[in-house]
Amino acid sequence: MTPHNSAKVGDIAESVLMPGDPLRAKYIAENFLENPVCYNQVRNALGFTGTYRGKKVSVQASGMGIPSFSIYANELFEFYGCKNVIRVGTCGAVHPEIKLRDTIIATGACTDSAINRNLFDGQDYAAVANFELLRAAADTAAVMQVPVNFGLLFSSDLFYAEKPANWDLWSKYGVLAVEMEAVALYTLAAKYHARGLAMVSVSDHVISGEQISPEERQKGSEQMIRLALETLLDFS
């Protein structure tokens, strides 16, 4: 057990989905996994293990933001031996070609956080997806005929910023959407020689101001969740 997770070693699968919202973790476990068992309720960061098409899979809530995500991901990799982690969440589009309800698979993550500059003595670290997991997701999406967008995410430290970012500049350089966790996953997965991938569904558009309801957000994520689970079948 850790200060944040009451699971014992062996309770958590090598392959894990990580939504931010604990209730989304519960929803995924109850609607996509067979025989899910709750292994963690500490701080209400719910975690479940079950099976998907015969494969043992876990779902662990991460909370919001880079610090919270880093705590749970670090413990999954270091203490529980997890090998494959896919973040499944939502994002705000900043690129004109990205639409509401689109699915984005992040090839890498930019950030305004100091997390990696603190870690690497002021230098910039390229936080990128694991290629094996990225390729498997691309192949799985093609087989499932699920339309996806590949590109960069921007992992922000601020949800309510005093000064908006220059999204025209970021989108010009290939950033598709903003969220708050992917950079932490890619950095920690690299540290522990594990596989990390971020999949996000577009719930709002930062430029146009469009957004979908919480109910639509939940339903719209289901195809992405299924894609993530099918992708994990390729890994033992």
Side-chain angles (χ1 to χ4, degrees):
M1 295 188 288
T2 75
H4 313 97
N5 203 318
S6 58
K8 299 179 179 65
V9 173
D11 288 348
I12 304 178
E14 288 191 354
S15 294
V16 185
L17 296 188
M18 290 188 73
D21 185 354
L23 292 182
R24 181 168 293 184
K26 185 174 186 286
Y27 177 86
I28 293 171
E30 293 177 346
N31 289 275
F32 291 88
L33 302 185
E34 297 96 25
N35 304 311
V37 175
C38 181
Y39 60 74
N40 185 58
Q41 299 184 65
V42 177
R43 295 176 177 264
N44 211 34
L46 302 179
F48 302 84
T49 296
T51 58
Y52 178 77
R53 293 179 57 187
K55 178 181 177 61
K56 186 178 179 182
V57 176
S58 295
V59 184
Q60 174 63 57
S62 70
M64 294 175 66
I66 291 167
S68 183
F69 189 97
S70 295
I71 288 171
Y72 291 99
N74 196 101
E75 292 180 354
L76 289 179
F77 291 132
E78 182 174 4
F79 299 109
Y80 295 105
C82 299
K83 302 297 184 186
N84 315 294
V85 173
I86 298 181
R87 159 165 156 67
V88 285
T90 56
C91 66
V94 299
H95 196 284
E97 294 182 6
I98 301 300
K99 310 301 180 188
L100 291 181
R101 303 177 186 83
D102 279 1
T103 294
I104 297 171
I105 298 178
T107 56
C110 309
T111 188
D112 58 4
S113 171
I115 175 177
N116 283 336
R117 289 193 172 184
N118 287 336
L119 182 62
F120 292 97
D121 196 26
Q123 299 179 78
D124 291 316
Y125 173 76
V128 299
N130 171 265
F131 180 72
E132 291 177 299
L133 207 50
L134 179 64
R135 180 170 58 184
D139 291 344
T140 302
V143 171
M144 293 176 63
Q145 297 184 329
V146 173
V148 294
N149 301 275
F150 296 92
L152 298 172
L153 293 178
F154 185 95
S155 297
S156 179
D157 256 351
L158 296 172
F159 190 87
Y160 297 109
E162 294 291 335
K163 181 180 179 181
N166 184 352
W167 295 122
D168 286 343
L169 178 63
W170 286 103
S171 65
K172 178 180 178 180
Y173 283 83
V175 172
L176 304 183
V178 57
E179 49 83 75
M180 300 184 74
E181 292 85 19
V183 70
L185 172 57
Y186 288 175
T187 301
L188 288 168
K191 175 183 177 180
Y192 289 103
H193 306 287
R195 302 180 184 95
L197 187 66
M199 292 188 188
V200 287
S201 178
V202 178
S203 60
D204 59 280
H205 206 294
V206 176
I207 308 303
S208 69
E210 297 174 283
Q211 58 184 319
I212 61 178
S213 69
E215 294 77 17
E216 288 180 292
R217 184 180 307 176
Q218 185 69 54
K219 184 177 181 181
S221 297
E222 291 183 0
Q223 182 173 254
M224 176 189 67
I225 292 165
R226 185 74 67 184
L227 172 60
L229 288 166
E230 290 288 327
T231 296
L232 290 174
L233 292 176
D234 289 341
F235 301 89
S236 58

